[in-house]
Each structure stands twice: as C-alpha cells, then as structure tokens.
Amino acid sequence: MKALVGVDAGDGYVAAVQWLIRLDFQECTAVACHAIEPVTALGPAIAPDFGATYGLDIARIERAEKERGEEVLTHAKLLLDEGGIPAETTLVYGHPDDELIRCDAEHCADLIAIGCEQKGEFGSAVFGSVSRSLTSHAQSSLIVAKTRPSEGPIRAVFATDHSEYANRCLDELIRLAPKGITEYVVASAYQIEGGRSRVAIPGLTAAVIDEAERQITERNEAICERLSSLGASASSKVVQAQPVEGLRKVMEESGANLLIVGAKGHTALERFFVGSVTYRLVAESKQTMLVLRP
C-alpha cells in the first residue's frame, strides 16, 4: 500500500504522519511531498530601482522557502522511517492541492494523508482549503488529520447510508485493512419523510420508524460481520436525524476519535444547490477523518 503525505511548512503534517503510522496499514510505503507556492510578483508599474530591490527580496524568499521545505521533508521522512514506513521525499513547485493531486496520480497512491486546520464552512469557502479540494478532486482515499492521535485505542465510526457507493467504500476499507483500529461503530442516520397524508398518524409513524430501524440495523450488523475480518470489534448504531447531526451525536456518544466516510466528489455547483455530507464534515468536523474513495 502506498501513501502520499502532504507536508506543509508548519507542523500540520506531523498529525498526518502519526495517524498514518497508528492506523497500521500493511506493507505501507510513503512519498512525502512538499509544494512551494509561487511568490506573486507585483505589477509592471514600479520604479526600476524598486524593482531591483524587490527582485532580490523575491530571491531571498524563494531560497528561504526551499530551505524550509527541505527541512520539513527531512523531518517527515524521519518520522515515517521511525514508524516503520519506508519513505522517499519530493519537493515540487506549485499550489499544494494541484501538486498533491498530480503526485497522487504520478505515484499511483492508495491514500493521501494531510494535516488540516479547522476553518469552518465560511473560512474554507472564502480562503480555500487543500483538504476540501482533495476531497472533491483527488482519486485516492484521504486521511484528514484534525488532531494528533491519542495514546489509547483507536475507535472509529464508519458512516453508511447502504447505497451502492457506500458498499464500495466498505470494500475499499477492507482492502486497505487498517490494523490499528480496535473498534468500529457502524452508524446510519435517517429521517422519515412526510407521506401524502397531511394528518399526523402517531401509531403509523411509530410503526414505520420501528420497521425502518429494524431493516437498517440488520444491514449494519451485516457490515459488522465483514469488519470483524480486520480483527476489530464492531457494533451498530442507528439514529433518526439529519446525517451530519446524527454522525456528530454518534461520535460523541461512542467516544470515537476517527470518522470514516465515503466521498463521491460533487462539483461546486452541486454542493451549492444540494450540499454534501462529506464536504461539510471535512470543513466543520473536529475529529480526524478517513475519506474513502473506491
């Protein structure tokens, strides 16, 4: 299994590396990639002497950024090697999201691991977000490390709506086979939509809810049986709520420190009109996420 680790100029990559190590993917190797963004030049309407000085400043900035890039790559490789993951490094020039997507395809990665600051929906929309861009456009699955892993066991919530795509995500999770997860909670959130009748019928509503929960629970338990092949315990949780709110509730109640979801990669227009559960969670969730893309 090959992982691509996005190494930023700060220390966000440390959490990504630690999660990659703790999840314990079998026979894992890694490529640590740091992208140096181009320094924006000023417009042409400047005095010649100022332009010369500015050129020297640009060269100084570029040199400092390259030195910092080499420094963080060396540290990332050291952490990976110490964690039992053989790693190579690459220093590239361009916007981080574009370069990570390019490196993902070039190295045929199974997984991308990045650190992520929580900016919220507004902050990510206005200022951009590498993690959100990768959620939409990368071909590989993605670790979005919001926090560093604790010393205790890793408990994960696996979210499913039992669609064909969700089932393919389950197949991908089993293929990746993270041995570091000790417990799974298979979570489904649903809502009973209003029928044709405009009159509330409490008895009928309760019967519909009970039957829906029974069927969903049966499907969740079937997933639990499949996840047992990974050597972890698994249980089912069904909640009646909107998906984002329901998953937050399950995460809090279960004490899970990892959320596993699937991502189809909707377009920006589709997200604006329809919305995306995964996209919102990547932007707003406080927990580290494993975003599966079969």
Side-chain angles (χ1 to χ4, degrees), residues 158 169-178 184 227 260 290 292:
F158 175 76
C169 289
L170 174 62
D171 293 339
E172 180 67 5
L173 177 61
I174 292 174
R175 185 186 75 83
L176 292 174
Y184 289 93
L227 290 173
I260 305 176
L290 172 57
L292 298 170

Side-chain angles (χ1 to χ4, degrees), residues 153-158 179 181-186 223-236:
I154 296 177
R155 298 184 179 90
V157 168
F158 175 76
K179 298 298 183 182
I181 298 176
T182 59
E183 180 182 346
Y184 289 93
V185 177
V186 179
I223 291 177
C224 291
E225 291 183 11
R226 293 195 62 191
L227 290 173
S228 65
S229 66
L230 301 179
S233 63
S235 59
S236 167

Side-chain angles (χ1 to χ4, degrees), residues 137-154:
H137 304 298
Q139 297 300 308
S140 301
S141 296
L142 182 68
I143 295 174
V144 183
K146 300 290 188 78
T147 59
R148 299 187 184 187
S150 61
E151 294 296 329
I154 296 177

Side-chain angles (χ1 to χ4, degrees), residues 73-197:
L73 282 175
T74 298
H75 184 231
K77 175 175 170 54
L78 176 64
L79 293 177
L80 288 162
D81 289 341
E82 289 179 345
I85 300 178
E88 57 183 277
T89 63
T90 180
L91 185 68
V92 296
Y93 292 84
H95 295 289
D97 47 357
D98 294 336
E99 291 306 314
L100 284 172
I101 290 171
R102 184 186 62 78
C103 287
D104 175 31
E106 179 181 332
H107 293 279
C108 299
D110 298 283
L111 183 72
I112 304 173
I114 59 169
C116 176
E117 295 181 9
Q118 185 185 3
K119 296 179 179 179
E121 185 75 20
F122 177 77
S124 294
V126 175
F127 301 109
S129 166
V130 173
S131 60
R132 288 179 55 147
S133 179
L134 291 174
T135 301
S136 296
H137 304 298
Q139 297 300 308
S140 301
S141 296
L142 182 68
I143 295 174
V144 183
K146 300 290 188 78
T147 59
R148 299 187 184 187
S150 61
E151 294 296 329
I154 296 177
R155 298 184 179 90
V157 168
F158 175 76
T160 178
D161 60 1
H162 297 287
S163 63
E164 179 183 352
Y165 189 83
N167 293 335
R168 289 172 56 205
C169 289
L170 174 62
D171 293 339
E172 180 67 5
L173 177 61
I174 292 174
R175 185 186 75 83
L176 292 174
K179 298 298 183 182
I181 298 176
T182 59
E183 180 182 346
Y184 289 93
V185 177
V186 179
S188 295
Y190 76 100
Q191 281 194 316
I192 299 295
E193 301 294 341
R196 294 181 179 179
S197 175

Side-chain angles (χ1 to χ4, degrees), residues 267-275:
T267 66
L269 188 62
E270 287 172 333
R271 284 193 302 273
F272 183 80
F273 286 105
V274 180

